[in-house]
């Protein structure tokens, strides 16, 4: 007999016969504590969470996902789903329950004729980029290539193509999903339209997505990467000029300002090492000569200390913010937090930049970054009710990404991060945050009505229809309607 954590937080006894019956119907591996693969599989990006599931299923196809969901639902067992495992809030792991680790499902199938791409749910961004770029195409996703397509898409999906083509969900045409009753549904605008609407922003609340169908777009293979870097003492004036510049910029340019300490890595010239900088990063997907002309002003503000602007392959841009390995010591503990705002004036910038300057020393060992995403173009044009995501009437997203190594600093760093966002909340758009950057697990409780705005009640109704027992609760959890 084994014990598996149940939905009501008590252990459920599963007899040996029940366990064997379940496992005998699977094609996939089932992992238990005691083997290396179990240890690897339970690991997620944020090492603050060190949870041990009772068992891990690594499905190789839809059938075993279906069987596992049916087994969990029949016994009312806690289940977590791991796509890329990058969610900082730790949702892709669970203590004592079942973990569905989708890492073996990484098929990407491009149809160059329709420019549509079928992507299995365990795929990481770099695999998707690699396969699509072979046809001169790209799907709008995120800016760090080891992130999972699934979690990123279900929560929205911001990246270098957001201005030109919108969020990842704005390019989603259909998906296949296993719901809590064990059914496999193909959802699209014409099929289970309510569920298709809900998964575009409603996170993993409604079932296990097994694959996504995206509309890709011609991109590159080379694009203009914009990379002027300015001294931190000029950050406020540089960011105000950037804000004004972006008001008139072409939608071919998506720009994100990064404030960070340059690591002592060969990725950067020596004179920049350990300096705090603000970088006006961006990607322009237009013809390169014209693109260069258009971004010229961003490269000549007062305080320029380096310019990484260059034409480069889109795949390289997607990996630009990685590989800064310094002695291979990488931070493993993270606290990411975000907020949407329309107000990028001196007051909020002062608070934000001061926040960066006064960050706890412990985090400096890592690659702390404060980020401002400028939101324009297609992102803003999608009506608020067209997808569950909400938050379209917003000009900027602010993020603080704290990273550190030593577990002894967890409490202090998280408390520091929360205090910063308590101060910044005064400037937010109705308390709205990006659920894919939502702190650690308890943070979003009570915040969902403001995150989803007028979409919230509809989401609760759809949750009730497709997951009345709230089987899928390891996420920014939307309770089923009463
Ligand atoms: C270094 C880093 C960089 C990032 N950059 C960006 C960025 O550029 N743009 C951006 O928008 N976001 C970014 N993010 C945030 C990212 O979108 C979220 O962390 C997202 O959750 C990652 O997806 P994942 O599949 O790796 O997550 P996971 O941790 O595997 O899953 C996240 C959530 O989705 C659920 N889930 C996963 N797969 C499925 C599935 N198949 N069916 C149903 N539910 C599922 C999980 O249960 C969990 O609740 C970044 C995060 C990190 C750590």
């Amino acid at each position: 007999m084994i014990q598996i954590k149940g939905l009501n937080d008590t252990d459920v006894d599963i007899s040996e016969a029940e366990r064997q019956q379940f496992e005998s119907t699977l094609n996939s591996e089932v992992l238990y504590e005691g083997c290396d693969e179990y240890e690897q599989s339970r690991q997620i990006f944020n090492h603050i969470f060190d949870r041990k599931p009772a068992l891990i299923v690594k499905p190789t196809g839809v059938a075993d996902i279906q069987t596992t969901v049916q087994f969990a639902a029949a016994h009312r067992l806690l289940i977590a789903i791991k796509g890329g495992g990058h969610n900082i809030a730790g949702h892709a792991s669970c203590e004592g329950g079942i973990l569905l680790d989708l890492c073996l499902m990484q098929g990407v199938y491009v149809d160059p004729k329709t420019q549509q791409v079928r992507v299995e749910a365990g795929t990481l961004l770099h695999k998707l980029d690699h396969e699509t770029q072979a046809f001169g195409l790209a799907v709008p996703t995120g800016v760090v290539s080891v992130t999972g397509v699934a979690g990123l898409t279900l929560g929205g999906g911001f990246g270098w193509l957001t201005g030109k083509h919108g969020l990842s969900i704005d390019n989603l045409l259909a998906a296949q999903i296993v719901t809590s009753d064990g059914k496999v549904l193909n959802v699209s605008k014409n099929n289970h339209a309510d569920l298709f609407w809900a998964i575009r922003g409603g996170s993993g609340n409604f079932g296990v997505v097994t694959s996504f169908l995206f509309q890709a777009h011609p991109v590159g293979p080379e694009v203009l990467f914009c990379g002027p870097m300015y001294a931190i003492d000029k950050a406020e004036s540089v960011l105000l000029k950037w804000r004004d510049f972006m008001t008139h910029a072409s939608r071919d340019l998506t720009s994100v300002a990064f404030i960070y300490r340059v690591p002592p890595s060969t990725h950067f010239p020596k004179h920049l090492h350990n300096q705090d900088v603000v970088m006006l990063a961006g990607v322009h997907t237009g013809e390169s000569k014209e693109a260069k002309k258009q971004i010229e002003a961003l490269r000549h503000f007062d305080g320029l200390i380096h310019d990484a602007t260059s034409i480069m392959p889109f795949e390289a841009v997607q990996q630009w913010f990685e590989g800064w390995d310094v002695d291979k010591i990488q931070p493993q503990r993270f606290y990411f937090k975000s907020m949407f705002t329309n107000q990028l004036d001196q007051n909020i910038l002062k608070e934000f930049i001061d926040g960066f300057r006064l960050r706890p020393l412990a985090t400096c060992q890592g690659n702390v970054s404060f980020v401002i995403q400028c939101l324009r173009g297609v992102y803003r044009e999608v009506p608020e009710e067209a997808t569950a995501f909400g938050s379209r009437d917003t000009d900027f997203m602010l993020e603080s990404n704290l990273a550190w190594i030593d577990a002894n600093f967890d409490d202090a760093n998280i408390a520091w991060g929360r205090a910063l966002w308590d101060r910044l909340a005064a400037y937010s758009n109705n308390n709205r945050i990006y659920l894919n950057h939502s702190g650690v697990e308890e943070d979003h409780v009570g915040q969902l009505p403001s995150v989803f705005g007028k979409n919230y009640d509809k989401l609760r109704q759809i949750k009730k229809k497709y997951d009345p027992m709230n089987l899928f609760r390891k996420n920014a959890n939307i309770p089923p309607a009463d």
Side-chain angles (χ1 to χ4, degrees):
M1 186 182 78
I2 57 165
Q3 290 191 322
I4 303 179
K5 187 73 74 194
L7 289 180
N8 61 4
D9 216 27
T10 54
D11 288 335
V12 177
D13 293 337
I14 302 292
S15 71
E16 193 51 26
E18 286 169 325
R19 187 179 71 82
Q20 277 180 13
Q21 161 67 19
F22 166 57
E23 290 190 21
S24 70
T25 54
L26 298 174
N27 246 350
S28 314
E29 277 183 274
V30 179
L31 307 173
Y32 292 93
E33 192 173 358
C35 70
D36 288 351
E37 223 182 311
Y38 170 91
E39 287 304 320
Q40 262 170 25
S41 209
R42 76 181 181 89
Q43 203 67 257
I44 56 172
F45 186 70
N46 193 352
H47 287 204
I48 286 181
F49 301 98
D50 183 30
R51 297 179 179 138
K52 293 187 172 169
L55 60 99
I56 301 175
V57 181
K58 286 172 83 169
T60 48
V62 177
D64 288 355
I65 294 178
Q66 188 181 25
T67 306
T68 307
V69 168
Q70 283 165 344
F71 179 69
H75 296 277
R76 299 184 63 81
L77 303 174
L78 184 65
I79 184 166
I81 307 154
K82 181 175 168 188
H86 255 57
N87 191 275
I88 295 302
H91 295 313
S93 67
C94 67
E95 185 66 43
I98 298 176
L99 177 63
L100 251 183
D101 178 0
L102 303 176
C103 69
L104 299 179
M105 295 178 63
Q106 295 216 36
V108 177
Y109 310 97
V110 182
D111 179 347
K113 215 163 159 197
T114 59
Q115 303 189 341
Q116 294 179 0
V117 189
R118 170 76 59 187
V119 185
E120 285 188 327
T123 305
L124 304 184
L125 303 191
H126 63 82
K127 171 103 194 268
L128 175 56
D129 291 333
H130 192 64
E131 295 300 327
T132 49
Q133 278 290 281
F135 299 94
L137 301 170
V139 172
T141 57
V143 305
V144 175
S145 77
V146 285
T147 315
V149 171
L152 177 130
T153 299
L154 295 169
F158 290 89
W160 292 125
L161 303 176
T162 303
K164 177 88 171 167
H165 298 296
L167 296 173
S168 304
I169 49 170
D170 301 330
N171 297 277
L172 188 64
L173 300 171
Q176 188 179 68
I177 180 164
V178 178
T179 46
S180 61
D181 54 7
K183 288 192 178 130
V184 182
L185 304 179
N186 291 311
V187 304
S188 66
K189 273 191 176 143
N190 304 319
N191 244 335
H192 303 284
D194 53 353
L195 188 52
F196 181 57
W197 176 87
I199 63 166
R200 285 176 291 158
S203 298
N205 270 284
F206 304 94
V208 186
V209 176
T210 62
S211 65
F212 300 86
L213 181 69
F214 289 104
Q215 183 65 57
H217 305 276
V219 172
E222 292 198 316
V223 293
L224 176 69
F225 178 69
C226 171
M229 292 161 76
Y230 292 91
I232 193 73
D233 59 350
K234 299 284 189 233
E236 192 179 309
S237 70
V238 164
L239 288 167
L240 288 171
K241 285 181 190 143
W242 170 72
R243 175 198 68 186
D244 295 344
F245 173 91
M246 287 306 295
T247 321
H248 306 292
S250 146
R251 66 179 49 198
D252 288 349
L253 173 68
T254 293
S255 185
V256 179
F258 289 87
I259 306 173
Y260 62 101
R261 173 164 292 185
V262 177
S265 152
T266 49
H267 197 70
F268 299 95
K270 253 196 165 142
H271 75 275
L272 291 179
H273 292 181
N274 299 314
Q275 280 207 51
D276 292 347
V277 298
V278 53
M279 178 179 190
L280 302 182
V283 168
H284 195 304
T285 54
E287 186 274 318
S288 55
K289 233 178 174 176
E290 174 58 26
K292 232 174 172 172
K293 215 160 77 189
Q294 284 188 20
I295 64 149
E296 200 55 19
L298 287 177
R299 305 171 63 196
H300 300 288
F301 300 148
D302 188 26
L304 186 75
I305 51 174
H306 181 66
D307 194 348
T309 300
S310 78
I311 310 281
M312 58 174 89
F314 181 68
E315 269 189 88
V317 171
Q318 286 288 83
Q319 294 169 26
W320 201 88
F321 289 93
E322 297 153 47
W324 298 356
D325 279 13
V326 183
D327 300 333
K328 299 285 174 219
I329 300 174
Q330 288 293 304
Q332 296 161 336
R333 315 179 81 82
F334 301 91
Y335 187 76
F336 286 16
K337 192 109 182 171
S338 70
M339 125 190 156
F340 291 107
T341 185
N342 285 337
Q343 227 178 316
L344 198 70
D345 58 17
Q346 274 157 327
N347 298 328
I348 185 171
L349 281 177
K350 186 173 179 331
E351 194 80 68
F352 197 58
I353 296 162
D354 280 353
F356 175 76
R357 281 208 189 95
L358 301 172
R359 64 201 183 276
L361 277 181
T363 63
C364 293
Q365 247 185 311
N367 47 7
V368 175
S369 60
F370 277 35
V371 179
I372 306 177
Q373 305 219 14
C374 181
L375 305 172
R376 305 177 58 257
V378 174
Y379 168 81
R380 300 264 335 221
E381 288 160 8
V382 176
E384 186 116 358
E385 291 103 332
T387 66
F389 182 82
S391 295
R392 299 294 182 148
D393 58 343
T394 186
D395 294 327
F396 300 96
M397 178 166 72
L398 270 56
E399 299 165 29
S400 68
N401 303 328
L402 302 186
W404 61 99
I405 294 167
D406 187 341
N408 290 316
F409 292 101
D410 287 0
D411 290 347
N413 287 347
I414 291 170
W416 184 89
R418 287 192 180 136
L420 169 73
W421 289 97
D422 285 347
R423 294 196 298 280
L424 287 167
Y427 304 95
S428 85
N429 277 13
N430 302 323
N431 230 355
R432 286 192 164 180
I433 61 168
Y434 180 34
L435 282 181
N436 275 346
H437 290 308
S438 63
V440 294
E441 214 163 31
E442 77 285 4
D443 273 3
H444 53 75
V445 173
Q447 242 179 319
L448 292 188
S450 39
V451 167
F452 289 112
K454 48 191 159 198
N455 292 339
Y456 186 59
D457 289 342
K458 184 171 163 188
L459 277 165
R460 290 196 61 191
Q461 293 295 342
I462 297 171
K463 176 78 174 172
K464 184 181 176 186
K465 180 171 166 189
Y466 291 99
D467 184 19
M469 72 164 83
N470 199 8
L471 182 66
F472 302 108
R473 59 181 62 193
K474 294 296 293 177
N475 41 49
N477 196 226
I478 298 168
D482 299 326

